[in-house]
Structures are given as structure tokens and as C-alpha cells.
Amino acid sequence: MPLHSAPLLAITQGDPAGIGPEIVAKAFRDAPALMQGCFVVGELQTLRRAAQLLQGPGRCALPVAEIAEPQEAWQVPPRCMPVLSLPGLPGPLPFGQVQAEAGRAAAECVRWAARQALQGRIAGLVTAPLNKEALHLAGLAFPGHTELLQAEAAEHAGVPLAQMPVRMMLANDALRTVLVSIHVSLRDAIDAVTREQVLETIRITHEALLRALGRPPRIAVAGLNPHAGEAGLMGREELEHIAPAVAAAQALGMQVIGPEPPDTVFMRARHSAEHPGAFDVVVAMYHDQGLIPVKYLGLDEGVNVTLGLPLVRTSPDHGTAFDIAGQGLADAASLIAAVQMARRLAAGQQQA
């Protein structure tokens, strides 16, 4: 993709006490062509500290360039990290600790980038990991990125939160899953399995992948209970909620089947060069049902994509890794995959 034709992307620094700033710096070092037209939203000295972590025998620290406007990212040479520093953020904080100031800083970066994307000034955002406990300590009533972005998009559109439904998709080269519920307890997740919620998830999945793939996606819907309820012997959610939602989606012309036994549907959907998957995506009923198979098949290159928003947002499929923060050991592969995914999604929106 020629210079200046690639979508302009913001990358948020994430929790400054975690590995977010480090993996962002490593992405600019290790994937210079991909990162052209990207810039980091964060705090300058925090990101300079991250760049210093890359220094070692025979390796210099990554250069950092401060920019004032997103478009200035195009003037920054490869293997140099453009940083748009937000005012009021704390300077470098201790590594590996849950801190209210770190949670506030991470959230402010996400808010700024989301508003830029919603106003059409950038093509999308890639979010480095934040810490949910740090968000809570900062007084923010959001379990994670997805809910924070949903609130920003609803406010921008001037609609109630319920009118801005969003879903989380986790994807790698082998598997895609979309979740009916996200960051809620397992007990609440079971209550969230309703005909309306499942149908909404199928619809959002269909519309998002139709744009991304350029064709109607093949969707499988997992059951909630063992053996997908075994005709009501092991639970009635499949009969009363999931199957009716699938039938309604089929009536709307979507290529969807289910409910399928959750212990085998992910294996059937798994894609490889030798054995293409039977489905393009699996709709899972709750967080761990959908995320465990994706993470097992490829945590290093997994990507979190928020569906249903009027903006592009992707994220690496891992957390802040406080146990290794500041040691230069973090792997940037998932962040690089998230940037690649954001580029494809943003390019698809431009062509739509």
C-alpha cells in the first residue's frame, strides 16, 4: 500500500505500568513498513522509557519523535516512534503495580483516540492492554475497552447505550469467535442467553464479516449446555432461546446453523492450510467458552476486534503482564497482528 494511502491509525499506550508501551515500541522497531501511518497516543516520557527497553548489545534505543497532529506521523521515518503526548497524563509510573493513575491514563488515551475516530480524523485505533482493576481504582465504571468505547460511540451518536450494541470478536489465523456476553459473571452470562441477545449477536457478526470477507459469512452458533442441551435433557436454553434466534436469522437470509455442541464446534471451525474450517466464525454464549479455544490455538497472534461500533478498533489478545513489565521480555506479535487487522478493516470501510 503506497505511503499516505494507508489508513491513519492511533495506537494507545495502554496501562503504563504494564507491557503496553514496550510492545508498541517493539512493533515500530520490528514492523517498520506496517507501522508507517501509525502514531502512539500517550505520555512522552513513558514511551521514551519503553523505547529504552529495546536497547541492548548491538542495539540502540528506538528513536522517539513527538508530534502535535496525527497527520505528522507520515513525516516520521521508519523505525522511529511518533508520539502524540496528551496533556495531564502522569509521567513514568512504577512497573508491575495496579495504580489508579495508570488506569486513568490508559482510559484517557482510549477516549481521545475514539473521539478522533468518531469524528473521522483517523481511520481507527489499536489499543494496548489496560488493567481492569486499575480502571476501577480510577473511578471508571467500565469493565474494559469494549464498554468504554461503546459509551463513547453512544454519546457521539446521541443515543442511549442500549441502542449501540457491541460484541467482542477474538480472531487468529485458525479461528474466529464472537461472544454473546463479555465481562460479566458466569451466572449473569447464563441469564444473558436470550433469543434477542443471540439474534443481535448473529446480526452484528454477519454484518461485520460481510464487510471484512466480501461475502456472507458461514456462522455456527454454539450451545450453552453440554451436548447443546440434548433436546432439553441438559438444559432448555437451546430450545427456548438459541434455536429460535438461529431460525430468525435464517429467515433473514443469513448463513447460520446451530445450536451446535460446544465441545466440538470450535474444532470443526478451525482453519488450516490442509483443512479449511467448516465455518468462518463461531458465536459463543459467554466469555470463556469463546476465548479459551482461540487463545489455546494462538495467543501470540490473537486479535480482539470490537464489532458493532461506527469505528475500527482492534487490540492484542493478552493483558498487561505485570509480572514481566519493564524487563524487555514482552512479545509484540499480537499487537502487530492487531495493527494488520485494523489496516484491513479500515481499508474495507474506505471501499464500502
Side-chain angles (χ1 to χ4, degrees), residues 181-270:
S181 62
I182 306 175
H183 298 122
V184 299
S185 73
L186 182 56
R187 188 177 302 279
D188 289 342
I190 293 170
D191 292 338
V193 178
T194 65
R195 177 188 180 279
E196 293 73 24
Q197 290 282 9
V198 175
L199 179 57
E200 186 80 283
T201 306
I202 297 170
R203 180 192 65 77
I204 291 171
T205 302
H206 170 82
E207 292 178 358
L209 289 184
L210 179 63
R211 292 191 300 270
L213 300 176
R215 58 171 174 79
R218 301 164 299 160
I219 303 171
V221 178
L224 173 68
N225 298 297
H227 303 261
E230 199 75 76
L233 295 175
M234 300 180 186
R236 298 193 56 81
E237 286 84 2
E238 285 80 8
L239 292 176
E240 296 176 1
H241 300 290
I242 302 174
V246 170
Q250 290 170 339
L252 293 171
M254 302 178 204
Q255 294 185 23
V256 54
I257 66 167
E260 300 297 307
D263 58 349
T264 57
V265 68
F266 299 100
M267 291 185 289
R268 294 166 60 198
R270 181 181 182 181

Side-chain angles (χ1 to χ4, degrees), residues 177-181 201 220-222 266 282-287 289-291:
T177 68
V178 178
L179 312 179
V180 171
S181 62
T201 306
V221 178
F266 299 100
V282 177
V283 170
M285 291 300 108
Y286 58 93
H287 185 279
Q289 185 189 58
L291 268 59

Side-chain angles (χ1 to χ4, degrees), residues 38-58:
C38 295
F39 65 97
V40 192
V41 182
E43 196 277 321
L44 185 62
Q45 298 309 320
T46 296
L47 290 154
R48 281 182 171 156
R49 179 178 67 173
Q52 289 293 327
L53 291 174
L54 278 56
Q55 195 166 2

Side-chain angles (χ1 to χ4, degrees), residues 136-190:
H136 178 73
L137 288 176
L140 299 166
F142 301 106
H145 280 116
T146 305
E147 296 83 359
L148 174 56
L149 290 165
Q150 179 189 26
E152 286 293 327
E155 182 178 348
H156 178 79
V159 300
L161 207 60
Q163 293 183 25
M164 188 64 65
V166 297
R167 295 296 186 271
M168 177 191 291
M169 179 172 77
L170 269 291
N172 57 29
D173 289 341
L175 184 65
R176 299 184 188 95
T177 68
V178 178
L179 312 179
V180 171
S181 62
I182 306 175
H183 298 122
V184 299
S185 73
L186 182 56
R187 188 177 302 279
D188 289 342
I190 293 170

